[in-house]
C-alpha cells in the first residue's frame, strides 16, 4: 500500500532495524516462543500464469523453517495475552470512554460475539471494526500524546502494530469496499467523529488509518473458534459470558480427534471422542473471532499447507490458553511455513490483496 506512506498518521520514523528490535522485545515480554524453529524471512515464489503476472519470481516475506521440523511439532507458541483482539479494546478504559454512548452500546452488544456485520452485505464485522478503532487509537496516541501511550494499559502492543508493513500488499479492491461502508452505519460515523475530536484531527486524516487497520486485520487475522480461548480473552468485558451457552454456540461440524482446524482447535470431537451430543464439538464455537497473533500472522497462503493454527485442549497457563502454530507434516530446513486461508480465489483477491495468487 504505497499510498499510505505519505499519510502522516501512519508514518513510522524509526528505521526497520529499530522496529524489528521493538517487535522482538514485545515478543519476549509476552512469552512468544519459537525455540529457534522458524524465522521471518523472504521466500521465492512464482505467480500463476495470468495476463497480469510477471514471469519473474517474486520475493515474499513470510515464515521460514530454521531447521528440520517433525510432524505435529509446535513451531510457535503464545498465550492469549500476547494477541491483539477485540477483548483488549473493550478493557481499555481510556479508549472506551471516548466513544459515544450509542457506539458503545452497539460494540458491546452480545450479538457482536456472533460476528454481526456493521451493515447488510458489508464485509466488516462489528468486532473487527472495534479492533481497528483501538489500533488507530494507539497509533494516534503514538503521534499525538506519546507520554499517555506509555501509561495506557496494553499500550506496548504499538510495538507490534508498528512492525506491520506500511507498503506491502495490493489492497485496492479491499480499500474500495471498506471505504464505501464506513460512511453509512451510525456506529462508524459517530466513532470516527469521536476519535477525530479527541485528537483534534479531521476525519479525512483519521479515515485512512481506520482503513489501514482493517486491511491489516483482514490480511493477517487468525480466526479463533476455541471456546475456552475466547472466554479467557473476553473476561471482564460485557461479552465475557457470550459463549457460556454451549448448546447454542457449539460448532455443528465435529472434527475427528487430532484433526487440524484452520480456525484453530485440537479438540476431541463429540460422538465417541469427547462426550456430549453426536455431531457437535463442544470445544469450538460456530462463529470465530478475528485475532492478530504476532509471528503466526506472517504465514502466507498456499493450497499445499504444511502448518495450521491450533489451541490445544489442556490446562491453560497463567497467561491463559496457548495458541500454537503446528506442523502438519515433516518440514525441511529452509522451507516456507504456509497455511491455507480457506477462501475461494475471488475472496483471496479481495480480502488478502492477492491480485495474483501465489502458489
Amino acid at each position: 500500500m504505497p499510498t499510505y506512506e505519505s499519510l502522516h498518521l501512519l508514518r513510522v520514523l524509526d528505521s526497520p532495524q529499530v522496529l524489528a528490535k521493538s517487535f522482538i522485545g514485545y515478543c519476549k515480554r509476552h512469552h512468544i516462543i519459537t525455540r529457534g524453529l522458524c524465522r521471518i524471512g523472504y521466500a521465492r515464489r512464482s505467480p500463476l500464469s495470468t495476463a497480469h503476472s510477471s514471469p519473474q519470481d517474486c520475493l515474499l516475506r513470510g515464515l521460514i523453517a530454521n531447521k528440520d521440523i517433525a510432524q505435529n511439532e509446535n513451531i510457535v507458541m503464545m498465550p492469549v495475552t500476547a494477541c491483539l483482539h477485540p477483548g483488549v479494546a473493550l478493557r481499555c478504559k481510556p479508549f472506551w470512554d471516548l466513544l459515544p454512548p450509542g457506539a458503545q452500546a452497539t460494540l458491546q452488544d452480545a450479538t457482536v460475539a456472533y460476528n454481526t456485520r456493521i451493515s447488510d452485505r458489508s464485509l466488516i464485522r462489528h468486532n473487527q471494526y472495534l479492533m481497528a478503532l483501538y489500533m488507530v487509537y494507539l497509533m494516534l496516541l503514538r503521534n499525538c500524546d506519546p507520554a499517555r501511550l506509555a501509561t495506557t494499559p496494553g499500550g506496548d502492543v504499538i510495538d507490534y502494530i508498528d512492525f506491520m508493513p506500511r507498503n506491502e500488499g495490493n489492497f485496492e479492491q479491499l480499500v474500495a469496499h471498506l471505504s464505501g461502508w464506513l460512511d453509512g452505519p451510525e456506529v462508524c460515523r459517530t466513532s470516527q467523529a469521536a476519535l477525530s475530536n479527541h485528537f483534534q484531527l479531521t476525519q479525512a486524516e483519521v479515515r485512512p488509518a481506520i482503513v489501514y487497520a482493517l486491511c491489516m486485520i483482514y490480511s493477517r487475522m487468525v480466526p479463533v473458534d476455541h471456546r475456552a480461548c475466547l472466554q479467557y480473552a473476553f473476561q471482564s468485558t460485557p461479552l465475557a459470558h457470550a459463549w457460556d451457552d454451549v448448546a447454542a454456540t457449539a460448532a455443528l461440524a465435529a472434527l475427528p480427534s487430532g484433526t487440524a482446524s484452520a480456525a484453530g482447535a485440537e479438540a476431541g470431537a463429540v460422538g465417541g471422542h469427547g462426550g456430549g451430543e453426536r455431531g457437535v464439538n463442544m470445544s469450538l464455537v460456530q462463529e470465530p473471532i478475528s485475532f492478530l497473533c504476532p509471528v503466526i500472522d506472517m504465514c502466507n497462503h498456499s493450497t499445499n499447507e504444511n502448518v495450521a493454527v491450533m489451541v490445544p485442549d489442556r490446562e491453560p497457563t497463567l497467561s491463559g490458553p496457548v495458541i500454537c502454530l503446528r506442523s502438519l507434516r515433516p518440514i525441511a530446513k529452509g522451507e516456507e511455513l504456509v497455511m491455507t486461508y480457506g477462501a475461494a480465489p475471488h475472496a483471496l483477491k479481495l480480502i488478502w490483496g492477492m491480485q495474483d495468487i501465489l502458489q
Side-chain angles (χ1 to χ4, degrees):
M1 290 171 288
T3 55
Y4 283 131
E5 291 185 317
S6 62
L7 301 176
H8 67 94
L9 294 181
L10 291 172
R11 189 177 300 146
V12 180
L13 299 180
D14 292 328
S15 68
Q17 292 78 13
V18 170
L19 293 176
K21 184 177 180 180
S22 297
F23 175 66
I24 292 171
Y26 177 85
C27 293
K28 289 181 177 179
R29 290 193 303 274
H30 291 272
H31 310 293
I32 298 173
I33 300 172
T34 65
R35 297 178 296 150
L37 293 176
C38 66
R39 70 180 190 277
I40 297 174
Y42 287 89
R44 189 172 296 279
R45 309 176 86 189
S46 299
L48 295 176
S49 179
T50 68
H52 303 288
S53 64
S54 167
Q56 298 179 345
D57 287 345
C58 300
L59 284 178
L60 194 64
R61 190 166 71 161
L63 282 185
I64 311 297
N66 257 348
K67 56 183 71 174
D68 292 342
I69 301 173
Q71 185 175 355
N72 293 326
E73 185 90 16
N74 288 330
I75 303 171
V76 181
M77 296 175 285
M78 69 184 68
V80 172
T81 52
C83 302
L84 183 56
H85 53 77
V88 178
L90 288 170
R91 283 193 295 270
C92 183
K93 192 174 187 303
F95 160 73
W96 188 252
D97 287 347
L98 71 83
L99 297 179
Q104 290 181 351
T106 299
L107 295 173
Q108 69 180 1
D109 188 270
T111 57
V112 172
Y114 310 135
N115 266 338
T116 53
R117 302 174 187 268
I118 62 171
S119 183
D120 290 342
R121 297 187 300 277
S122 172
L123 188 68
I124 308 170
R125 313 283 181 163
H126 282 105
N127 57 70
Q128 295 165 342
Y129 180 69
L130 171 62
M131 185 159 60
L133 286 177
Y134 177 65
M135 292 170 65
V136 172
Y137 171 74
L138 294 178
M139 287 190 283
L140 296 181
L141 275 182
R142 186 236 299 132
N143 282 345
C144 304
D145 195 353
R148 186 168 184 179
L149 174 63
T151 61
T152 298
D156 72 331
V157 76
I158 193 67
D159 292 336
Y160 172 33
I161 296 172
D162 283 347
F163 189 69
M164 296 177 185
R166 299 298 195 269
N167 59 353
E168 294 180 11
N170 185 345
F171 294 95
E172 292 179 0
Q173 294 182 43
L174 181 58
V175 168
H177 177 92
L178 296 176
S179 299
W181 288 109
L182 289 176
D183 289 323
E186 182 179 359
V187 65
C188 296
R189 297 196 311 270
T190 58
S191 58
Q192 290 175 71
L195 270 178
S196 303
N197 293 336
H198 182 79
F199 290 99
Q200 298 182 343
L201 298 167
T202 66
Q203 292 193 45
E205 292 175 294
V206 172
R207 170 68 70 84
I210 295 176
V211 172
Y212 167 80
L214 286 168
C215 285
M216 289 299 98
I217 291 169
Y218 282 113
S219 64
R220 309 171 79 87
M221 65 182 176
V222 172
V224 173
D225 60 358
H226 191 272
R227 184 182 306 278
C229 185
L230 293 174
Q231 289 173 327
Y232 187 92
F234 284 84
Q235 62 182 333
S236 303
T237 75
L239 301 182
H241 301 289
W243 298 276
D244 287 356
D245 189 341
V246 176
T249 59
L252 300 179
L255 297 173
S257 182
T259 298
S261 163
E266 177 196 45
V270 178
H273 294 286
E277 296 181 6
R278 181 178 298 274
V280 176
N281 193 325
M282 299 297 187
S283 296
L284 306 182
V285 300
Q286 296 176 26
E287 294 289 344
I289 299 296
S290 300
F291 278 45
L292 291 177
C293 303
V295 182
I296 290 178
D297 65 1
M298 296 300 301
C299 274
N300 290 313
H301 165 77
S302 174
T303 54
N304 186 27
E305 62 182 345
N306 54 20
V307 295
V309 179
M310 301 180 180
V311 180
D313 273 339
R314 61 184 63 169
E315 288 298 318
T317 66
L318 293 177
S319 300
V322 176
I323 297 177
C324 301
L325 184 69
R326 182 172 296 181
S327 57
L328 300 179
R329 59 170 175 79
I331 301 172
K333 178 181 179 180
E335 188 177 350
E336 185 183 6
L337 307 182
V338 290
M339 66 175 73
T340 178
Y341 290 174
H346 70 275
L348 289 171
K349 289 183 180 181
L350 173 64
I351 299 176
W352 284 282
M354 298 179 183
Q355 302 305 312
D356 295 317
I357 301 175
L358 299 175
Q359 297 288 355

